């Protein structure tokens, strides 16, 4: 989850020169830490394999093999010298799995079924991967349509609010009335009014993504230095150019803040909509798992969902880094 | 195109009749321009001098067509100015480069607006202002003077018939300033546009302009209108320039023995 380093290319931004100086200053030495990552995972593998389970858990040997494979992979990465920055995390994760394995699978410290073992989690992925994957695809599909529509509409409405007094006169009261409402509050109504649950959920997601995007786009466009318009106008620019090539790029930093906030609200709305409405997707899967007290399944779904969310946020930041490469600096996700 | 002297010249002539303008600042009305009447012949190089805050930039905005005057008319070749147009290009007091465009993108702005492709003229303008090698730099990577030169290049690529310059060389060091003054004068002669330039530097006005207009403190009135009947390639120490300089400084309220 490291952000790309696509800031200003070339020219003295200071960073490359600074790094070079730091490297030249330090004595070249081979760091040993990366070599500890593999053994940490071998330890997890060994403990899993040799220490008898406290109960009849599935897939113990397979899990041990998996740990060992990860350990081998990390050793190879260390040999290729590609592990330096992430080595501490790799070690910590290996040790963490060891502790989890010992505490839960070998000693059963915490009550089952609320707390599962690593092999429980692995078992869910092995036996239920199809349904998990299916749920993930459903969630992603719903998000893509709803968030996409909301983002596009939000930017469009925000630009309208920022540029046109007439548009602002009519639309601002509506935005003020509906916007601050949590989208999930509209959920019961939406499912009654809109016959298709999927369509209703998409509409709510669009609303969830649209409101922050609208507000931030609006404030970004409203804050554009009027001198920017003057420059283009003296060269004969028409409204179209002023909106698309001046107002939009100038407001882009703000727009991305809005898109990011909208993504967060969309995640929340997505889960609730899936639990109450569409009966598919990761939210629904989790609710089902809870209903059947299938806690390992819930953990698995949570893990998948968290990977999905963080992946989408990373994607958004990647796009942002590209689009805003002209900025002096920005937050690193 | 910037460097070709064989460029067909259509300099723009201007006529300002009884221009009044003002702004409401904090609820009170502030008059800025007071009955300005002025005729500028095609091809003139007019320098505007006046105390800070008197209304010079405001007058330029009106000529550019960015705002209508409260009273009076501005005619370009006999027709009233109703809005901005690419034949009258402004170089603003602040560089106002677009931070999301590289130097090259900023200089090419006029081409992008007109839907024209002419990379050679963009390169030529960048080279002219001495920014070669910085085409791909972002504005935040430029010094103040470099940004100002980029803004000058951005104005020049448009091949204006009237070039409106608001303290174009204000942020340059004295040496770069000298070079740019020479370049400006050469451009003006080669390409034959009309030029209106605000400056605080009396010497600069004397070296470049064919005519100097002096304004009173706000609200601006014209208190001096001096033709400079000297050939281009003037020498700084020319006694006639020194006389004119004394004259202008007196009008601006400085004692003559300065
Ligand atoms: N947009 C505006 N709104 C309100 N007042 C303005 C505006 N623009 C200019 N003024 C006022 O008009 C007066 C003249 O401003 P202007 O920028 O034309 O001065 P100037 O002669 O260019 O000064 P300087 O040499 O310092 O650039 C000032 O008193 C200023 O406060
Ligand atoms: Mg000014």
């Amino acid at each position: 989850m490291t952000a790309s380093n696509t800031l200003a290319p070339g020219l003295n931004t200071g960073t490359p020169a600074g790094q070079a100086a730091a490297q030249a200053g330090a004595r070249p030495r081979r760091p040993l830490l990366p070599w500890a990552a593999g053994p940490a995972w071998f330890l997890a593998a060994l403990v899993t394999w040799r220490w008898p389970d406290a109960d009849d858990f599935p897939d113990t040997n397979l899990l041990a093999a998996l740990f060992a494979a990860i350990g081998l992979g990390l050793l190879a990465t260390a040999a290729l010298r590609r592990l330096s920055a992430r080595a501490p995390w790799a070690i910590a994760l290996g040790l963490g799995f060891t502790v989890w394995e010992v505490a839960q699978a070998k000693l059963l410290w915490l009550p089952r079924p609320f707390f599962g073992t690593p092999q429980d989690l692995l078992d869910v992925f092995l036996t239920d991967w199809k349904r998990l994957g299916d749920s993930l695809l459903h969630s992603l599909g719903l998000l893509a349509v709803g968030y996409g529509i909301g983002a596009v509409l939000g930017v469009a409405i925000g630009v309208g609010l920022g540029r046109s007094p007439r548009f602002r006169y009519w639309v601002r009261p509506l935005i003020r009335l509906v916007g601050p409402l949590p989208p999930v509050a509209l959920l019961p109504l939406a499912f009654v009014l809109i016959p298709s649950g999927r369509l209703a959920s998409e509409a709510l997601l669009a609303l969830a993504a649209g409101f922050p995007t609208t507000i931030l786009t609006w404030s970004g466009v409203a804050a554009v230095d009027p001198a920017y318009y003057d420059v283009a106008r003296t060269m004969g620019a028409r409204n179209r150019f002023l909106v698309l090539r001046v107002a939009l790029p100038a407001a882009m930093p703000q727009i991305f803040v809005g898109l990011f906030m909208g993504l967060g609200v969309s995640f929340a709305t997505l889960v609730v909509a899936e639990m109450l409405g569409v009966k598919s997707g990761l939210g629904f899967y989790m609710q089902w798992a809870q209903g059947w007290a299938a806690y390992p399944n819930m953990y698995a779904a949570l893990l998948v969902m968290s990977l999905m969310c963080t992946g989408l946020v990373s994607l958004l930041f990647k796009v942002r880094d590209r689009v805003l490469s002209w900025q002096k600096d920005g937050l690193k996700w | 195109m910037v460097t070709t002297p064989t460029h067909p010249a259509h300099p723009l002539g201007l006529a300002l009749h009884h221009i009044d303008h003002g702004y409401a600042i904090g609820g009170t009305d502030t008059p800025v321009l007071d009955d300005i009447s002025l005729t500028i012949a095609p091809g003139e190089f007019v320098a505007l001098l006046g105390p800070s805050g008197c209304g010079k930039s405001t007058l330029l905005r009106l000529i550019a067509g960015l705002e209508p005057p409260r009273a009076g008319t501005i005619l370009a070749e006999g027709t009233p100015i109703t809005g901005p147009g690419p034949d009258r290009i402004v170089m603003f007091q602040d560089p106002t480069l677009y931070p999301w465009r590289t130097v090259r993108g900023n200089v090419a702005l006029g081409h992008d607006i007109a839907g024209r492709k002419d990379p050679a003229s963009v390169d030529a303008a960048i080279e002219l202002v001495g920014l070669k090698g910085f085409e791909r730099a972002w504005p935040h990577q430029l010094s103040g003077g470099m940004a100002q030169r980029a803004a000058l290049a951005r104005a020049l690529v448009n091949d204006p018939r009237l070039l409106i310059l608001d303290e174009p060389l204000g942020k340059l060091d004295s040496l770069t300033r000298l070079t740019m003054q020479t370049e400006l004068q050469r451009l003006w002669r080669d390409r034959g546009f009309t030029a209106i330039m605000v400056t605080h530097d009396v010497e600069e006005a004397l070296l470049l302009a064919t005519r100097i207009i002096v304004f009173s403190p706000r609200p601006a009135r014209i208190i001096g209108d001096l033709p400079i009947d000297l050939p281009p390639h003037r020498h700084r120490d020319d006694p006639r320039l020194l006389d004119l300089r004394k004259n202008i400084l007196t009008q601006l309220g400085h004692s003559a023995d300065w």
Side-chain angles (χ1 to χ4, degrees), chain B residues 44-244:
Chain B
E44 270 194 289
F45 195 132
V46 181
L48 309 184
L49 284 174
S52 174
C54 74
K56 303 178 297 291
S57 297
T58 306
L59 185 64
L60 296 190
R61 285 182 68 79
L62 300 186
I63 294 174
L66 290 168
E67 292 173 42
R70 276 193 185 168
T73 46
I74 304 179
L75 305 176
E77 285 180 342
T79 46
I81 287 175
T82 53
D87 52 344
R88 285 162 281 134
I89 294 294
V90 189
M91 183 189 160
F92 292 90
Q93 197 165 356
D94 292 322
T96 50
L97 299 174
Y98 291 168
W100 59 90
R101 283 175 174 247
T102 59
V103 166
R104 184 157 225 297
N106 269 290
V107 174
L109 181 67
H111 287 350
D112 286 355
I113 290 171
R116 196 176 340 127
K117 283 243 179 314
D118 189 1
S121 74
V122 175
D123 289 333
I126 289 174
E127 186 160 2
L128 183 85
V129 298
L131 284 179
K132 204 166 155 61
F134 285 90
E135 287 89 345
R136 294 182 54 196
W138 298 109
H140 73 79
Q141 296 169 319
L142 301 181
S143 72
M146 288 162 81
Q148 211 169 23
R149 284 182 279 148
L152 180 60
R154 177 179 65 184
L156 291 175
V157 255
N158 294 287
D159 247 330
R161 301 176 57 202
L162 170 65
L163 186 58
I164 301 171
L165 303 155
D166 200 347
E167 297 185 39
L169 312 180
K171 286 181 185 152
L172 302 185
D173 67 281
S174 48
L175 283 179
T176 317
R177 207 179 160 109
L178 288 182
T179 339
M180 294 306 294
Q181 282 171 354
T182 319
E183 283 301 335
L184 256 185
Q185 192 169 47
R186 192 180 60 74
L187 275 169
W188 168 70
R189 260 188 297 118
D190 290 351
R191 297 166 67 179
F193 47 75
T194 310
I196 303 180
M197 176 179 75
V198 169
T199 175
H200 283 297
D201 183 344
V202 179
E203 271 194 11
E204 183 170 281
L206 288 168
L207 279 177
L208 298 181
T210 56
R211 181 179 171 194
I212 296 181
I213 311 271
V214 185
F215 291 103
S216 70
R218 191 185 60 78
R221 274 175 299 104
I222 296 179
I223 56 171
D225 187 342
L226 301 91
I228 317 280
D229 295 320
L230 296 176
H233 304 300
R234 296 164 197 172
H235 201 277
R236 264 157 222 283
D237 306 329
D238 191 319
R240 288 168 295 182
L241 284 190
L242 292 178
D243 274 352
L244 280 166

Side-chain angles (χ1 to χ4, degrees), chain A residues 233-258:
Chain A
R233 281 174 63 212
T234 57
M235 294 181 187
R238 297 299 165 85
N239 204 35
R240 194 185 149 81
F241 191 94
L242 296 181
V243 168
L244 295 181
R245 310 285 299 275
V246 182
L248 264 188
M252 214 35 104
Q254 292 266 60
I255 292 176
F256 271 104
V257 176

Side-chain angles (χ1 to χ4, degrees), chain A residues 185-242:
Chain A
L186 290 171
L187 204 99
L189 193 64
F191 282 120
V192 173
L193 291 184
I194 306 177
S196 143
R198 192 184 163 85
L199 206 63
S201 305
E202 284 166 355
L204 284 181
L205 279 177
L207 199 67
F211 177 59
T213 311
T214 301
I215 298 298
L216 270 294
T217 304
W218 176 13
S219 92
V221 169
V224 174
D225 187 348
Y228 289 159
Y229 296 128
D230 287 345
V231 168
R233 281 174 63 212
T234 57
M235 294 181 187
R238 297 299 165 85
N239 204 35
R240 194 185 149 81
F241 191 94
L242 296 181

Side-chain angles (χ1 to χ4, degrees), chain A residues 114-184:
Chain A
F114 312 109
F115 299 94
T117 63
Q119 33 271 75
D120 285 332
L121 198 60
L122 178 64
D123 190 55
V124 172
F125 283 115
L126 287 177
T127 55
D128 213 18
W129 61 271
K130 235 180 140 177
R131 234 155 48 91
L132 265 175
D134 209 44
S135 303
L136 174 65
L137 285 184
H138 266 98
S139 292
L140 277 176
L142 200 56
L143 255 183
V145 174
Y147 180 80
I149 292 176
V152 171
L153 279 183
V155 170
I157 296 173
V159 169
L161 286 167
R163 288 279 302 168
S164 158
R166 244 233 314 246
F167 188 82
R168 190 158 56 237
Y169 175 81
W170 287 109
V171 174
R172 197 169 78 129
L174 301 179
I175 298 279
R176 290 178 67 164
L177 186 69
V178 180
L181 211 59
V184 288

